Amino acid sequence: MIKISEESNSNKELEEKIPRIIEMNEDLTRNNEELAERNHAIFKKHNIKTFDIVGAIGAGKTAILEKLTEELSKDKKVYVICGDITLRLDADRIEQHGAKTIQINTGRECALNAYHIQKVIKNLPLDNVDYLFVENVGNLICPSDFILGVDRRILVVSVTEGDHVIIKHPLLVKMSEVIIINKIDLVDTLGTDLDRMIKDAKSINPKIKVIPMSVKTGENFDNFLEYIKNC
Ligand code: MG
C-alpha cells in the first residue's frame, strides 16, 4: 500500500512537470520558413522560375502539368518535383511530355516542405533549369502550413469537388496567386454554380487570378500558358 502511495506521489510530481502545451508546430513552421527563404535565394540566383501546384487528389494537377510541360519543353528546360505519399505514377506520366521529374515519397506526411525541396535542389543542374514546378501532395489543407520557397503558388480545384470547395479552404486561396477551376466541361452535367466559385475566390483574395479551364477539352488552357510564360 505504501509503495503504491509513493508511486502515485512521484507520478503526481512528474505530471506536474509535464508542459501543458508543446508548440512544436510553431518551431517547425519557423524552421521551414528559414529553409524556404534559402531555397528562394538559390532559385533567384540561378534565374529559375518556380511554381508550387496544390490541390486535392483528382483535381487535375498532373493532367495540367502534362499539357503545360509539353508546351514549355519545346524551347525550355523544365523540371517537375512530384510529391506523393508513395509511388511515382504522376512523375512517370509527366516525364512522357518532355520534362525531367524527381519523385519525393513523403510517407505519412500530407504536404511537401522546404526541407524536401532543399534536398532536391542539391541534385539539380541549376544553371540548366528554366522552370521548376512542384506538384504538391494531393490535399487542400496540409500544404497551407508549409511554404517551399518558390515564386508562386497555383491552386487547382475542380467543379466536381462541389460549389463550396473554395469557400471551405480560404487559407490556400489567400496564399495563392492563381486559382484554376478545372473540368468546366462538366458544369452543365453537374449543375455547378461556376459564378459562385469565382465570386468566392475573389472575395477571399481580391488579387487572385481566376482561370476557369478544362484541361481535357483544352478550353482556356492558352490563358494559363500565357500567364506562365509572362511570369
Ligand atoms: Mg497528381
Side-chain angles (χ1 to χ4, degrees):
M1 285 298 284
I2 293 168
K3 203 174 178 192
I4 290 169
S5 164
E6 276 172 358
E7 264 186 10
S8 29
N9 276 343
S10 82
N11 278 341
K12 207 174 174 190
E13 279 167 26
L14 279 174
E15 270 175 21
E16 280 165 5
K17 286 179 188 166
I18 295 172
R20 299 299 299 270
I21 300 169
I22 300 174
E23 297 287 0
M24 196 176 283
N25 271 342
E26 201 176 285
D27 284 348
L28 273 178
T29 308
R30 200 180 306 125
N31 288 341
N32 187 74
E33 280 175 11
E34 285 170 16
L35 279 179
E37 272 177 35
R38 269 186 251 168
N39 291 344
H40 196 238
I42 293 169
F43 293 139
K44 284 283 120 197
K45 186 180 164 198
H46 294 273
N47 203 20
I48 303 170
K49 293 177 179 176
T50 51
F51 304 85
D52 177 19
I53 316 284
V54 297
I57 294 170
K61 299 184 296 301
T62 311
I64 289 168
L65 278 166
E66 283 179 288
K67 210 169 166 70
L68 184 65
T69 54
E70 172 114 23
E71 290 297 325
L72 295 175
S73 296
K74 287 173 183 168
D75 55 359
K76 300 287 181 191
K77 289 274 185 246
V78 185
Y79 280 73
V80 183
I81 298 172
C82 293
D84 239 315
I85 51 170
T86 179
L87 300 178
R88 52 166 288 134
L89 285 174
D90 291 356
D92 287 343
R93 274 173 63 189
I94 291 165
E95 204 152 86
Q96 305 293 315
H97 298 267
K100 293 243 188 297
T101 62
I102 303 103
Q103 173 74 31
I104 300 177
N105 288 332
T106 59
R108 296 170 72 97
E109 290 175 48
C110 54
L112 289 174
N113 58 49
Y115 176 69
H116 291 128
I117 304 304
Q118 188 197 44
K119 279 183 85 172
V120 174
I121 287 175
K122 286 179 183 166
N123 296 298
L124 284 185
L126 293 168
D127 287 327
N128 202 21
V129 180
D130 297 309
Y131 288 99
L132 176 71
F133 295 92
V134 178
E135 180 180 345
N136 217 315
V137 181
N139 191 300
L140 278 173
I141 297 164
C142 308
S144 57
D145 286 332
F146 298 101
I147 56 169
L148 306 179
V150 299
D151 296 326
R152 293 173 174 84
R153 185 167 257 177
I154 295 168
L155 175 58
V156 180
V157 299
S158 77
V159 299
T160 55
E161 293 167 61
D163 301 339
H164 297 98
V165 67
I166 292 171
I167 205 84
K168 280 181 180 173
H169 300 93
L171 208 51
L172 269 183
V173 178
K174 276 182 195 159
M175 296 172 82
S176 301
E177 187 163 307
V178 176
I179 180 167
I180 292 171
I181 304 176
N182 192 24
K183 308 190 189 180
I184 54 169
D185 52 304
L186 297 175
V187 163
D188 289 342
T189 310
L190 298 170
T192 313
D193 190 345
L194 183 59
D195 288 341
R196 184 208 162 111
M197 294 176 84
I198 296 169
K199 273 183 201 152
D200 285 348
K202 285 283 183 189
S203 72
I204 295 166
N205 179 356
K207 287 184 185 165
I208 203 164
K209 181 178 174 65
V210 185
I211 307 179
M213 181 204 289
S214 167
V215 71
K216 189 179 174 191
T217 67
E219 188 177 352
N220 225 8
F221 176 78
D222 286 347
N223 187 351
F224 178 54
L225 180 62
E226 277 310 301
Y227 162 79
I228 295 289
K229 284 183 172 177
N230 289 327
C231 280

